[in-house]
Amino acid sequence: MSELGTLEDLPADYRQALAAQNLVPLWPSLRAVLPHGQPGPRTHATMWSYESLRPLLMQAGELTPIEKAERRVLVLANPGHGLEKMQASSSMYLGMQLLLPGEWAPAHRHTPNAVRMIVEGTGAYTTVNGEKCPMQRGDLILTPTGLWHEHGHDGDEAVVWLDVLDLPLVYYMETSYAVEGEKQDVVPRRGDREYLRGGVVPSPVFTRDTSAYPMLRYPWVDVRAALEALAAERPGGDAVQVAYVNPEDGSDCQNILGFSALMLRPGETLALPARSPAMVFHVIEGGALVSADDTAFTLAEADTCCVPGFARVTLKNRSTSEPAFVFIADESPLHRKLGLYEVRA
Amino acid sequence: MSELGTLEDLPADYRQALAAQNLVPLWPSLRAVLPHGQPGPRTHATMWSYESLRPLLMQAGELTPIEKAERRVLVLANPGHGLEKMQASSSMYLGMQLLLPGEWAPAHRHTPNAVRMIVEGTGAYTTVNGEKCPMQRGDLILTPTGLWHEHGHDGDEAVVWLDVLDLPLVYYMETSYAVEGEKQDVVPRRGDREYLRGGVVPSPVFTRDTSAYPMLRYPWVDVRAALEALAAERPGGDAVQVAYVNPEDGSDCQNILGFSALMLRPGETLALPARSPAMVFHVIEGGALVSADDTAFTLAEADTCCVPGFARVTLKNRSTSEPAFVFIADESPLHRKLGLYEVRA
Amino acid sequence: MSELGTLEDLPADYRQALAAQNLVPLWPSLRAVLPHGQPGPRTHATMWSYESLRPLLMQAGELTPIEKAERRVLVLANPGHGLEKMQASSSMYLGMQLLLPGEWAPAHRHTPNAVRMIVEGTGAYTTVNGEKCPMQRGDLILTPTGLWHEHGHDGDEAVVWLDVLDLPLVYYMETSYAVEGEKQDVVPRRGDREYLRGGVVPSPVFTRDTSAYPMLRYPWVDVRAALEALAAERPGGDAVQVAYVNPEDGSDCQNILGFSALMLRPGETLALPARSPAMVFHVIEGGALVSADDTAFTLAEADTCCVPGFARVTLKNRSTSEPAFVFIADESPLHRKLGLYEVRA
Amino acid sequence: MSELGTLEDLPADYRQALAAQNLVPLWPSLRAVLPHGQPGPRTHATMWSYESLRPLLMQAGELTPIEKAERRVLVLANPGHGLEKMQASSSMYLGMQLLLPGEWAPAHRHTPNAVRMIVEGTGAYTTVNGEKCPMQRGDLILTPTGLWHEHGHDGDEAVVWLDVLDLPLVYYMETSYAVEGEKQDVVPRRGDREYLRGGVVPSPVFTRDTSAYPMLRYPWVDVRAALEALAAERPGGDAVQVAYVNPEDGSDCQNILGFSALMLRPGETLALPARSPAMVFHVIEGGALVSADDTAFTLAEADTCCVPGFARVTLKNRSTSEPAFVFIADESPLHRKLGLYEVRA
Ligand SMILES: [Fe+2]
Ligand SMILES: [Fe+2]
Ligand SMILES: [Fe+2]
Ligand SMILES: [Fe+2]
């Protein structure tokens, strides 16, 4: 790999002539945009403590009425990208959203895809294309691209959830926009009840559901039961992990980001191979140590962290007597679809 | 549609000259092989009563030791095809198989695909590519093309199951053969436990199972629960039916035949549209009236019937107080893959 | 593989009792329907000489007016299936069709798929869903399932073509029927001109053609040129063969049967591996020796032969100075879609 | 759409407390990242004149030896993104590359995908995974993700080509890197000769090529002939456009960007609907007027321009006697794969 010419090697008037025509010489920047052997990420391994941010989120509830916020969210921003960019990674956005009893976040739809991982509180719900989805700790609720969604709250305590969106990518691609709508009529259908068991799907009069999002709510009680069953079935040390999928065709449940849940057995340590996508970890139950290359985080329940792609990550259950449950978001559907997915042994 | 020339219209010596060269004039047979508007099926609507056939099946157990039968099966043969053809329809084979305590039906594999719907008895099991699948009333067990399988029996009562195979089609295509094997070693993995819940699938360290048959046993307790949940979710008269699918990608669970389970609510009558595939109905619980065009059958538990393609079929629960549960096999994956699937309103 | 009980081993009254209930014991027939290691085909290797059959075909033109034949075809029937079954193999039908100047074979459509390989004569055409396809020696014209088609003749000499249909399979599946129609209006579009070059496809205003059959005519002049180019590109002894495909997605050009063209270089001998599908060979130019297991045929131009699946086939160019060109039809799309395709080294 | 709170509405100490925890309030930026109804692109409609930039490119040849440049490229940079970002749009990079007689741009491979549209000169070639591709005016040559490629020059005049890469997106995703390699051995195979005709593909001994990039060079002589044939076939005013595709399966020829060629008939004006992807136009032959919303460019041969997504674009042939031929690159495969593709009537 030879050393290349620099911008300074070029005559000043030549550089000016280039700029006047919107031209830039490639070679002074070639190594920077095509580094040798591995990308140079801007994403930093970063952690957000729920205990620390919770008071600020509650304070936001006091400072800003829902009508002035529409979505009352504190964005978990990665300093590697600059906080104002509101990115956790190149393609993931994270936010902690607060909804207070009686509040309503009005209906809209937009090109970016979102999921909601409920963190605390009961009584809130999200209505997605007419399907009213109850929100309880650990539930995952999809609000995919183009689907109408709004949040309401019939309970009496603050409800908080973690939003995960592909907003940074969709915005980068110059495709991000929203449309506002009226309060939706609720239809009775509930996908989480229709796809209760694996291996069988509704087929009334031999007809399958071919809509893009047949299941919008993944109840934690069911996902947890699936993890427990898997742990019982695979005693030998295999990772106990399930992916959230479209129950009709097994594809990733959303277009761009992937979601999974992991159970760390008591005392278990799990080393992940280096993979191209950035990842987000959020603890649903228990506690975990997350190390990514030279950085390490100690996560308690409801804590969240992000690690860049190509990092070597190790997860360790902090308890030797209780399992830990971790929600994971990553960019793997995006990388696979674009032919950029890579795993290094 | 004009009238065409007949074989008799042709001179005898011309016909002889044709036959000598393995030639046949098309036009005398054209209307027969291409009837107007709808096929002319050989498959007759036919019913087999379990109560009636059971004594003969038990007698087979006395007359023929398992070593002389390998698979002790009474084939449910459609008289429209000629009994000796052992066909329920053009592409479906049905058999009632008896395994007695302590017997063993040795390992083999073959090109035709089979499923087993357990009819009575406990203690038997099928081992498929090393996975030992318990057999209980209503369970569906796959033994797909090319997979080793054998049946054993650790219990103390006769066990009977209904075999459904695509043997007639695979035989017709001149692709049917078997290979015999040694007793299989059992591996601990159990697919029915790994795919317990809908919408989530195992993904240890972000890796999915891409094998063709990740789930080999569909426990009736789970399928029944799925039907009950669906019935609760769809009060409005929609058919309560689930398809047995590959839990990883939602495709039909086998290559050629399709399988589903239907719950008829108390008193419910369900009219099916005319569809190109022939169908088989087997009552798992309760009783049903099945009518197909001008034929009607009264089915009790464990009874089985077959109806030809393009028939107009109505299913009626015989009870006004209890649900009925019906297992259905049909040729729809075959018809869809070959571009021949048709539904008539 | 133990010896099994026979039908005669069973008491006569037991056998009567079985038949009365449409029941058949499996074990006496088990080895016949599931032979060990390889299927037992009914299809025989069979050859039809064009020189020999041509006079009989012309005589058919005298004996039977087109109005009495609708399609004036001599079917190439495989004696292994019984001539009256009109099958070349389990799933292939072959026929030599004669159309005389001024005749018209009226419009109809049907579930079986057909292709036409033109054998001799000019001036005829086939209109398929409104696209008028000229018919010249070696051209392949598709009339796929459900598409309207009719044949006309504006020339002044007898035109003959080879029909290849999946009629035996579609008939066996009880899905074969036809509908008659009016003379079609011709639309100007010509698929063979729109897909002239490989690697580029029409996309007016970024829109692709998603119809099932964007190309209905494969001109021999183009297919021959593709073979010549391939022969020039691959001097090293690779087989020079091209498959007829849907130019939009590269899938087999029809649903059930596959079609390809082969060039045998001067003096070339090509040994094919044993494959599960039956095959048909028809010589477009030159001459070839075809051997299948213990049978051998000497084919001249326009001759046709059929070989069963799993046969070991060798093709040899009869000339050491001229290439030979062979059209091939086989059952491989069917076998692949149903998971039954097999190649033996 | 109500007015939302601003950053300034929040107490300064609260904002500091947020920043200290890498938190950012969403609502002050909500409308900016999710504008109403349509994205707000940074990409400007921008044009680069070949006549103007050519002297600067030739000067680069004098100023910087190939060893100091590795790839001697002037990047066509969009001022809307900032020139130093070297982007034509969010996901497209454009560069004019100069190779002088006897020069060699050494072998490497990288995650971004590139294509080369030859602009002038003869004698140069690109070797891609061992296939040596001649470079002539109008040819399109692929160097897809992960494939080794190098450029050499056996001729005696300057050769220039237009590079189109998805580098900005791949870099944004933190997946961009390169690996350097040795001079490749050339293998004799030439994909452009193997896929000469549409509708037929090589299938030696019934085997298809399943590699990701079976065709690496799309000769202009063939693409132009396809456009001429299409123009003759569709006289009625349809757009005459072809897409560059994988000849085996008809998919876009690369993973992220799409490529097509357009013929404007003499005097023709073509209005494109507003579509989400940004587009690049490069004139291969003739001249064209390109207008995008309120901007208009007059393009001569070898000129290039870029327009943002969602713009309404009109193309007009500047000549009333000669056709114009335009090469188009766009982001539509990316938008389709991610579920973000949109067309507005
Ligand atoms: Fe939203
Ligand atoms: Fe078996
Ligand atoms: Fe026909
Ligand atoms: Fe490169």
Side-chain angles (χ1 to χ4, degrees):
Chain A
M1 210 170 43
S2 59
E3 204 166 318
L4 303 182
T6 68
L7 209 53
E8 290 70 32
D9 292 344
L10 296 170
D13 60 346
Y14 182 67
R15 286 153 58 186
Q16 279 173 3
L18 291 179
Q21 289 195 43
N22 292 324
L23 300 172
V24 178
L26 172 62
W27 56 96
S29 309
L30 185 63
R31 301 284 186 241
V33 296
L34 281 171
H36 175 77
Q38 187 167 317
R42 295 175 303 284
T43 299
H44 293 178
T46 306
M47 175 193 158
W48 299 268
S49 155
Y50 188 63
E51 188 179 34
S52 301
L53 72 80
R54 192 181 185 282
L56 294 172
L57 186 59
M58 295 303 153
Q59 200 177 343
E62 293 155 21
L63 288 167
T64 309
I66 191 70
E67 294 74 22
K68 283 288 180 190
E70 204 165 299
R71 262 64 177 169
R72 191 191 291 110
V73 179
L74 293 184
V75 178
L76 281 50
N78 193 305
H81 291 270
L83 296 188
E84 76 290 352
K85 289 288 186 68
M86 302 196 301
Q87 300 184 228
S89 72
S90 71
S91 303
M92 292 191 286
Y93 156 108
L94 298 174
M96 282 289 175
Q97 183 158 173
L98 170 68
L99 197 70
L100 294 172
E103 291 187 340
W104 181 61
H108 69 173
R109 58 189 172 90
H110 39 67
T111 43
N113 300 273
V115 300
R116 328 292 175 170
M117 163 55 54
I118 318 312
V119 177
E120 70 164 278
T122 58
Y125 60 87
T126 299
T127 306
V128 190
N129 267 20
E131 180 173 334
K132 186 173 176 177
C133 301
M135 301 174 93
Q136 300 212 320
R137 173 59 179 149
D139 292 351
L140 187 75
I141 293 170
L142 311 186
T143 59
T145 184
L147 270 57
W148 292 108
H149 56 280
E150 62 194 77
H151 311 289
H153 196 332
D154 297 335
D156 51 15
E157 54 183 350
V159 166
V160 177
W161 62 82
L162 175 67
D163 289 319
V164 187
L165 281 82
D166 47 27
L167 175 63
L169 180 77
V170 176
Y171 180 78
Y172 176 81
M173 287 172 58
E174 310 188 355
T175 47
S176 180
Y177 68 90
V179 178
E180 298 72 27
E182 299 299 306
K183 194 172 178 58
Q184 303 168 69
D185 292 327
V186 172
V187 295
R189 190 176 170 284
R190 279 278 298 275
D192 56 345
R193 291 180 182 154
E194 302 216 337
Y195 295 97
L196 198 60
R197 307 282 162 150
V200 287
V201 295
S203 65
V205 193
F206 303 95
T207 304
R208 299 276 296 272
D209 186 342
T210 57
S211 67
Y213 305 99
M215 186 164 165
L216 295 167
R217 177 177 183 254
Y218 295 74
W220 175 236
V221 61
D222 288 324
V223 176
R224 196 185 195 286
L227 288 166
E228 294 273 14
L230 207 56
E233 191 59 22
R234 299 185 172 193
D238 273 3
V240 180
Q241 187 177 1
V242 293
Y244 293 85
V245 300
N246 177 328
E248 282 287 346
D249 63 15
S251 63
D252 298 297
C253 68
Q254 290 199 161
N255 288 332
I256 294 176
L257 302 181
F259 306 97
S260 57
L262 183 80
M263 172 177 159
L264 292 168
R265 298 178 181 89
E268 185 176 3
T269 298
L270 182 66
L272 303 178
R275 299 158 65 243
S276 55
M279 286 184 281
V280 164
F281 301 100
H282 171 82
V283 176
I284 301 180
E285 291 184 32
L289 297 172
V290 177
S291 74
D293 292 339
D294 300 332
T295 312
F297 301 121
T298 301
L299 272 67
E301 201 177 306
D303 288 352
T304 305
C305 73
C306 177
V307 302
F310 290 94
R312 298 202 174 264
V313 175
T314 301
L315 303 173
K316 184 172 162 47
N317 188 344
R318 290 169 61 193
S319 166
T320 55
S321 58
E322 299 297 321
F325 293 92
V326 180
F327 171 68
I328 306 175
D330 81 356
E331 301 163 333
S332 56
L334 170 66
H335 284 217
R336 289 183 203 270
K337 285 174 177 167
L338 301 187
L340 295 164
Y341 187 74
E342 189 178 335
V343 181
R344 297 190 173 181
Chain B
M1 211 171 42
S2 59
E3 202 165 321
L4 303 182
T6 68
L7 208 52
E8 292 67 33
D9 292 343
L10 295 171
D13 59 345
Y14 182 68
R15 286 153 60 186
Q16 279 173 3
L18 291 178
Q21 289 196 42
N22 293 323
L23 300 171
V24 179
L26 172 63
W27 55 96
S29 310
L30 185 63
R31 300 285 187 243
V33 295
L34 282 171
H36 175 76
Q38 187 167 316
R42 295 174 303 284
T43 299
H44 293 179
T46 306
M47 174 192 160
W48 299 268
S49 155
Y50 187 63
E51 188 179 33
S52 301
L53 72 82
R54 192 181 185 282
L56 293 172
L57 186 58
M58 295 303 153
Q59 199 176 345
E62 293 155 21
L63 288 168
T64 308
I66 190 72
E67 293 74 21
K68 282 288 179 188
E70 204 164 300
R71 263 63 178 171
R72 191 190 291 111
V73 178
L74 293 183
V75 178
L76 281 48
N78 194 304
H81 290 271
L83 296 188
E84 76 290 354
K85 288 290 187 66
M86 302 196 302
Q87 300 184 226
S89 71
S90 72
S91 303
M92 291 192 286
Y93 155 109
L94 298 174
M96 281 288 176
Q97 184 159 172
L98 170 67
L99 197 70
L100 295 172
E103 290 187 340
W104 181 61
H108 68 173
R109 59 190 171 88
H110 39 67
T111 43
N113 300 273
V115 300
R116 328 293 175 171
M117 163 55 54
I118 318 311
V119 177
E120 69 165 278
T122 57
Y125 59 88
T126 298
T127 307
V128 190
N129 268 20
E131 181 173 335
K132 187 173 175 177
C133 301
M135 302 175 91
Q136 301 212 319
R137 175 57 180 151
D139 292 351
L140 187 75
I141 293 171
L142 311 185
T143 58
T145 185
L147 270 58
W148 292 108
H149 57 279
E150 63 194 78
H151 312 290
H153 194 332
D154 297 335
D156 52 15
E157 55 183 350
V159 167
V160 177
W161 63 81
L162 175 67
D163 289 319
V164 187
L165 281 83
D166 47 29
L167 175 64
L169 180 76
V170 176
Y171 181 78
Y172 176 81
M173 287 172 59
E174 310 189 353
T175 47
S176 180
Y177 67 91
V179 178
E180 299 72 27
E182 299 298 306
K183 195 171 179 58
Q184 302 168 70
D185 292 328
V186 172
V187 297
R189 191 175 170 282
R190 279 278 299 276
D192 56 346
R193 290 180 183 153
E194 301 217 339
Y195 294 97
L196 199 60
R197 307 283 161 151
V200 286
V201 294
S203 66
V205 193
F206 303 95
T207 304
R208 299 276 296 272
D209 187 341
T210 57
S211 65
Y213 305 101
M215 186 165 165
L216 294 167
R217 177 177 182 253
Y218 296 75
W220 174 238
V221 62
D222 288 323
V223 176
R224 196 185 195 285
L227 288 165
E228 295 273 14
L230 207 56
E233 191 60 23
R234 299 186 172 194
D238 272 3
V240 180
Q241 187 177 2
V242 293
Y244 294 84
V245 300
N246 177 328
E248 282 287 346
D249 63 15
S251 62
D252 298 298
C253 69
Q254 290 200 161
N255 287 333
I256 295 177
L257 302 182
F259 305 98
S260 58
L262 183 80
M263 172 178 159
L264 292 168
R265 297 178 181 90
E268 185 175 4
T269 298
L270 183 66
L272 303 178
R275 300 159 66 243
S276 54
M279 285 184 282
V280 164
F281 301 101
H282 170 82
V283 176
I284 300 180
E285 291 184 29
L289 297 172
V290 177
S291 75
D293 293 338
D294 300 331
T295 311
F297 301 121
T298 302
L299 271 65
E301 198 177 307
D303 288 351
T304 305
C305 73
C306 177
V307 302
F310 290 95
R312 298 203 173 263
V313 174
T314 303
L315 304 173
K316 183 171 163 47
N317 188 344
R318 291 169 61 194
S319 167
T320 55
S321 57
E322 300 297 322
F325 293 92
V326 181
F327 171 68
I328 306 175
D330 81 356
E331 301 163 332
S332 57
L334 170 66
H335 284 217
R336 290 184 203 268
K337 285 174 177 168
L338 301 188
L340 295 164
Y341 188 75
E342 188 179 334
V343 180
R344 297 187 172 183
Chain C
M1 209 171 43
S2 58
E3 204 165 320
L4 303 182
T6 67
L7 208 53
E8 292 68 33
D9 292 345
L10 296 171
D13 60 345
Y14 182 68
R15 286 152 60 186
Q16 281 174 1
L18 291 178
Q21 289 195 43
N22 291 325
L23 300 172
V24 178
L26 172 63
W27 55 96
S29 310
L30 185 62
R31 300 286 186 240
V33 295
L34 282 170
H36 175 77
Q38 186 166 317
R42 295 176 302 286
T43 299
H44 292 179
T46 306
M47 175 193 161
W48 298 268
S49 155
Y50 188 62
E51 188 179 34
S52 302
L53 73 80
R54 192 181 185 283
L56 294 172
L57 186 59
M58 295 303 153
Q59 200 176 345
E62 295 154 21
L63 288 167
T64 308
I66 189 72
E67 294 73 21
K68 282 289 181 190
E70 205 165 296
R71 262 63 179 171
R72 191 190 293 108
V73 179
L74 293 183
V75 178
L76 282 47
N78 194 305
H81 290 271
L83 296 188
E84 75 290 353
K85 289 289 186 67
M86 302 196 303
Q87 301 183 226
S89 71
S90 72
S91 304
M92 292 191 286
Y93 155 110
L94 299 174
M96 282 289 176
Q97 185 159 171
L98 170 68
L99 197 69
L100 295 172
E103 289 187 342
W104 180 61
H108 69 173
R109 58 187 171 91
H110 38 68
T111 43
N113 300 273
V115 300
R116 327 292 175 172
M117 163 55 53
I118 318 312
V119 177
E120 68 165 279
T122 58
Y125 59 87
T126 298
T127 307
V128 190
N129 268 19
E131 180 173 336
K132 187 173 176 177
C133 301
M135 302 175 92
Q136 300 211 321
R137 176 56 179 150
D139 291 352
L140 187 75
I141 293 170
L142 311 185
T143 59
T145 185
L147 270 59
W148 292 108
H149 57 280
E150 63 195 76
H151 311 290
H153 195 332
D154 296 336
D156 52 16
E157 55 183 352
V159 167
V160 178
W161 62 82
L162 175 68
D163 289 319
V164 187
L165 281 84
D166 47 28
L167 175 64
L169 180 77
V170 176
Y171 180 78
Y172 176 80
M173 287 172 58
E174 310 190 352
T175 46
S176 180
Y177 68 91
V179 177
E180 298 71 28
E182 299 297 307
K183 197 172 178 57
Q184 303 167 69
D185 292 328
V186 172
V187 296
R189 190 178 172 284
R190 279 278 299 273
D192 55 345
R193 291 180 182 153
E194 301 217 337
Y195 294 96
L196 199 61
R197 306 282 161 153
V200 287
V201 294
S203 64
V205 194
F206 304 95
T207 303
R208 299 276 296 272
D209 186 341
T210 57
S211 66
Y213 305 100
M215 185 165 167
L216 294 167
R217 177 177 183 254
Y218 295 74
W220 175 237
V221 62
D222 288 323
V223 176
R224 196 185 195 287
L227 287 166
E228 295 274 14
L230 206 55
E233 191 60 25
R234 298 186 173 193
D238 273 3
V240 181
Q241 187 177 1
V242 293
Y244 294 84
V245 300
N246 177 328
E248 281 287 346
D249 63 15
S251 62
D252 298 298
C253 69
Q254 289 200 161
N255 288 333
I256 295 176
L257 302 181
F259 306 98
S260 57
L262 182 80
M263 171 177 161
L264 292 167
R265 299 177 181 90
E268 184 175 4
T269 298
L270 182 66
L272 303 178
R275 298 159 66 245
S276 54
M279 286 183 282
V280 164
F281 301 99
H282 170 82
V283 176
I284 301 181
E285 291 184 30
L289 297 172
V290 177
S291 75
D293 293 339
D294 300 332
T295 312
F297 301 122
T298 302
L299 272 65
E301 199 178 306
D303 288 352
T304 305
C305 72
C306 177
V307 303
F310 290 95
R312 298 205 172 261
V313 175
T314 302
L315 304 173
K316 184 171 162 46
N317 188 344
R318 290 169 61 193
S319 166
T320 54
S321 58
E322 299 297 322
F325 293 92
V326 181
F327 171 67
I328 306 176
D330 80 356
E331 302 163 332
S332 57
L334 170 66
H335 284 217
R336 289 183 204 270
K337 284 175 177 168
L338 301 188
L340 295 164
Y341 187 74
E342 186 178 341
V343 180
R344 297 189 173 182
Chain D
M1 209 169 43
S2 59
E3 203 166 322
L4 303 182
T6 67
L7 208 53
E8 292 67 34
D9 291 345
L10 296 171
D13 59 346
Y14 182 68
R15 285 153 60 186
Q16 279 173 0
L18 291 179
Q21 291 196 41
N22 292 324
L23 300 171
V24 179
L26 172 63
W27 56 95
S29 310
L30 185 62
R31 301 286 186 241
V33 294
L34 282 170
H36 175 77
Q38 187 166 318
R42 295 174 303 285
T43 299
H44 292 179
T46 306
M47 174 193 160
W48 299 267
S49 155
Y50 188 62
E51 188 180 33
S52 301
L53 72 81
R54 191 181 185 284
L56 293 172
L57 186 58
M58 295 302 154
Q59 198 176 345
E62 294 155 20
L63 288 167
T64 308
I66 189 71
E67 294 72 22
K68 282 288 180 191
E70 203 165 299
R71 262 63 178 171
R72 191 191 291 110
V73 178
L74 292 183
V75 178
L76 281 49
N78 195 305
H81 290 272
L83 296 188
E84 75 290 353
K85 289 288 187 67
M86 302 196 300
Q87 301 184 226
S89 71
S90 71
S91 304
M92 290 191 288
Y93 155 109
L94 298 174
M96 282 289 178
Q97 184 159 173
L98 170 69
L99 197 70
L100 295 171
E103 290 187 341
W104 181 61
H108 69 172
R109 59 188 172 89
H110 39 67
T111 42
N113 299 273
V115 299
R116 329 291 175 171
M117 164 52 55
I118 318 311
V119 177
E120 69 165 277
T122 57
Y125 60 86
T126 299
T127 307
V128 190
N129 268 18
E131 181 173 335
K132 187 173 175 177
C133 301
M135 302 175 92
Q136 300 212 321
R137 175 57 179 149
D139 293 350
L140 187 74
I141 293 170
L142 311 185
T143 58
T145 184
L147 269 59
W148 292 108
H149 57 280
E150 64 195 75
H151 311 290
H153 195 331
D154 297 335
D156 52 15
E157 55 183 351
V159 167
V160 177
W161 62 82
L162 174 67
D163 290 318
V164 187
L165 281 83
D166 46 28
L167 175 64
L169 180 76
V170 177
Y171 181 78
Y172 176 80
M173 287 172 58
E174 310 189 354
T175 47
S176 180
Y177 68 89
V179 177
E180 298 72 27
E182 299 298 306
K183 195 172 178 58
Q184 302 169 70
D185 292 328
V186 172
V187 295
R189 189 177 171 284
R190 278 279 299 275
D192 55 345
R193 291 180 182 153
E194 301 218 337
Y195 295 97
L196 198 62
R197 307 282 162 152
V200 286
V201 294
S203 65
V205 194
F206 304 95
T207 303
R208 299 275 296 273
D209 186 341
T210 57
S211 65
Y213 305 100
M215 186 164 165
L216 294 166
R217 177 176 182 255
Y218 296 74
W220 175 237
V221 62
D222 289 323
V223 176
R224 196 184 195 287
L227 288 166
E228 294 273 14
L230 207 55
E233 191 60 22
R234 300 185 171 192
D238 272 2
V240 180
Q241 186 176 3
V242 293
Y244 294 84
V245 301
N246 177 327
E248 281 287 346
D249 63 14
S251 62
D252 299 297
C253 68
Q254 289 199 162
N255 287 332
I256 294 176
L257 302 182
F259 306 97
S260 56
L262 183 80
M263 171 178 161
L264 293 168
R265 298 178 182 88
E268 184 175 3
T269 298
L270 182 66
L272 303 178
R275 299 159 65 244
S276 54
M279 285 183 284
V280 163
F281 301 100
H282 170 83
V283 176
I284 300 180
E285 292 183 29
L289 297 172
V290 177
S291 75
D293 292 339
D294 300 332
T295 311
F297 302 121
T298 301
L299 272 65
E301 199 177 307
D303 288 352
T304 306
C305 73
C306 177
V307 302
F310 290 96
R312 299 204 172 262
V313 175
T314 301
L315 303 173
K316 185 171 162 47
N317 188 344
R318 290 168 62 192
S319 166
T320 56
S321 57
E322 299 297 323
F325 293 92
V326 181
F327 171 68
I328 306 175
D330 80 356
E331 301 163 334
S332 57
L334 170 66
H335 284 218
R336 289 184 204 268
K337 285 175 178 167
L338 302 187
L340 295 164
Y341 187 75
E342 188 178 340
V343 180
R344 297 189 172 182

